[in-house]
Amino acid sequence: GAGVSQSPSNKVTEKGKDVELRCDPISGHTALYWYRQSLGQGLEFLIYFQGNSAPDKSGLPSDRFSAERTGGSVSTLTIQRTQQEDSAVYLCASSRLLGQDNGYTFGSGTRLTVV
Amino acid sequence: AQKVTQAQTEISVVEKEDVTLDCVYETRDTTYYLFWYKQPPSGELVFLIRRNSFDEQNEISGRYSWNFQKSTSSFNFTITASQVVDSAVYFCALSAGRGSTLGRLYFGRGTQLTVWP
């Protein structure tokens, strides 16, 4: 597609439920990134994919968080047993190649509210 | 360790004033990239500029200019003759490292700029 698409744009869930957030990167972009933006924490890195593999999972906050990418395209970020502190905007970005000299294109994010 | 500091949390100016957003970074890598992003109220992060560590030449794009100084580890952003549409949160970011951390962006906390008419 023309840009990075994220769905849903807003999600309200009850504490303890599981949620899935979806990211559809720009066609042909091999690298995909997930970031979280929450009040007081700024933008924090969660995970990135090069193709379908995730070399760096160090940013995932806990084992309740997982992510996968299939077909080198769509990625899903799953949060199990959601907690109120998971409330944040989850941003996805993609770049044509992995590397410092390539710019990212960000999606509009998914605003997650855990009640 | 990689770190970006944006000391200014909020800045308010009146339209047509010039404003400078500060960014200080820390890295031990000799090769790195610096970025500025704009986040308007709609929420999407908009890429503004990318500079690599070997190019200290300042850059101007319309009303925007960037001053990169390795001696002070700073990458400041100036908006000349600010406009109401410039109101947004501005993030400075650093990309450095290698191996598994390649491509990861380290963001500052952001500066909320409000331009009043």
Side-chain angles (χ1 to χ4, degrees), chain B residues 11 13-17 19 21 37-44 46 48 63-64 77 79-90 111-117:
Chain B
I11 299 177
V13 298
V14 177
E15 213 170 17
K16 298 184 181 177
E17 285 185 14
V19 58
L21 309 181
Y37 284 88
K38 174 182 180 180
Q39 188 176 43
S42 60
E44 189 167 334
V46 178
L48 295 178
R63 295 184 297 107
Y64 294 170
F77 173 31
I79 302 174
T80 303
S82 59
Q83 300 176 1
V84 172
V85 294
D86 296 327
S87 297
V89 180
Y90 291 85
T111 298
Q112 170 70 60
L113 173 66
T114 303
V115 182
W116 299 99

Side-chain angles (χ1 to χ4, degrees), chain A residues 54-103:
Chain A
D56 183 7
K57 299 181 181 180
S58 63
L60 293 176
S62 74
D63 57 8
R64 296 186 295 105
F65 287 71
S66 63
E68 66 175 11
R69 188 181 186 194
T70 55
S73 181
V74 173
S75 175
T76 302
L77 177 68
T78 301
I79 309 173
Q80 296 178 309
R81 305 180 302 281
T82 51
Q83 304 294 314
Q84 288 185 330
E85 61 262 28
D86 299 334
S87 295
V89 176
Y90 290 81
L91 290 162
C92 176
S94 70
S95 63
R96 189 173 60 86
L97 296 173
L98 180 70
Q100 302 165 352
D101 57 346
N102 290 282

